[in-house]
Amino acid sequence: MNNFDWIVVGAGITGSALSYELSKKGLKVLLLEKDPNYDNATRYSYGGIAYWSGTDDYSIQLCQESREIHSNLSEELGASTEFRELDLMLTIPVDNNPQSIAKNYEKFFIKPRLLNPEETTEVEPLLNKNAISGCLRLPHGHIHPEKTNKAYQQAFLRLGGTLNYEKVTQLLSQNKTIQGVKTNKEEYYGENVVICAGGLSHLLLKNTGININIYFTHSQLILTPTVDIKLQTLVMPAVLNRLDIEEKSGDSGIQPLWDNPSDDVISDVMEPGAIQFLDGSFCLGQTSQIITNPTVKLNETTAEKTIREGIEPILPKLQNLPGKLHSCLVAFCPDSNFLVGKINDFKGLHLFSGFTSTLMFAPPLARRFADWATNNNEKMPSL
Ligand SMILES: Cc1cc2nc3c(=O)[nH]c(=O)nc-3n(C[C@H](O)[C@H](O)[C@H](O)COP(=O)(O)OP(=O)(O)OC[C@H]3O[C@@H](n4cnc5c(N)ncnc54)[C@H](O)[C@@H]3O)c2cc1C
């Protein structure tokens, strides 16, 4: 009864997409999620699909597969993901040289168009042309992340998968071979376990004696109700300081802090961004902080003020929209686009997490992962 081919830990977009793809192969899959409210990174994301961001043959191929999968996903899963194509507008601060910022984007296989402030407001009238020196315009995909996650889960359940709301407290193993997992309620057995626990993946693996370079930021954002104002595009800054702090968090000086979590703020960035969903509601973001304690209590009043003040110069009409602050952990890996594969020296244990552009990479890699899991000729990557 409690025996499965695969046990998937965490039901954000990574765990839900992977459970669905494994079930499609006829495997008996258990998906375990600790939080029935889904206060996770998937629920609070903008929903952008950066299919322009490939830089080498492999990532370009994944970008193309992702666009193709997302275009057909509503039909395949039998529920709308609200997939659409829209413009991504990457704002360049007024004191930055637009040409030199644009140079940073030359490595991507789809290059942005550099717009001056006047051209920018023709595309996105809500942007304040006095606060920017220009904008990079890119074609982008967009989904409703929560609906997409639910659609994957519903399709997974229809294929006979099991989704239980339980917290995995321990990975069960013997002689470095995985046996299953223990939750707050039960023990489950299976030859294969895959960790899709987002920001908590590091901790779960560490408790089993496995140290992998996967960490998390604490992110905060504001969700609004449906409002009577129209944003045409997805707006984000062209200079993403978050990527810098993520890279530095893997430095040897900081690494011990992940093993001895504290409430100290190691770094802190605010990146003004906004997206409007098809129902007229907004997600306004976003602060990212590196604090190694995953359960630290963050100050919500300060965060809301920081986000609203950060939005004000760029998108003044959105500053005072009604809305509620939310927090979540976002997993990242400082030196790779994703951590996908079997964990070396630990038979049956796998990781599927730590993505940049998770909504873009997770669907095609979940499909490939299920192929690797069922096709003996194709070798699964090792971590
Ligand atoms: C404001 C904001 C905007 C963003 N915009 C974008 C965007 O436009 N495009 C993009 O690609 N990405 C974006 N992201 C990042 C993206 O949301 C995340 O990278 C992605 O959702 C992570 O998915 P995940 O499945 O790895 O993690 P999560 O969605 O966090 O899911 C992990 C799940 O594991 C569960 N879990 C953890 N531990 C256990 C345990 N022990 N037992 C059982 N369950 C457990 C958690 O409860 C959680 O539900 C954004 C993030 C934020 C905050």
Side-chain angles (χ1 to χ4, degrees), residues 8 36 38 41 49 77 84 169 171 179 224 264 268 283 360 363:
V8 179
Y38 289 92
I49 298 154
L77 302 180
R84 60 186 164 142
T169 53
L171 303 179
Q179 315 259 284
T224 80
D264 296 342
D268 190 351
C283 178
M360 197 271 289

Side-chain angles (χ1 to χ4, degrees), residues 86-106:
L86 87 182
D87 285 314
L88 173 66
M89 299 293 270
L90 298 171
T91 56
I92 304 172
V94 76
D95 51 354
N96 281 190
N97 180 303
Q99 278 78 18
S100 65
I101 302 290
K103 273 210 175 80
N104 300 336
Y105 284 77
E106 273 171 15

Side-chain angles (χ1 to χ4, degrees), residues 10 12-14 33-34 40-42 44-46 48 168 197 219 357-359:
I13 193 72
T14 58
E33 168 56 51
K34 70 174 173 57
N40 61 18
T42 299
Y44 297 131
S45 101
Y46 292 149
V168 172
S219 184
S357 302
T358 314
L359 303 178

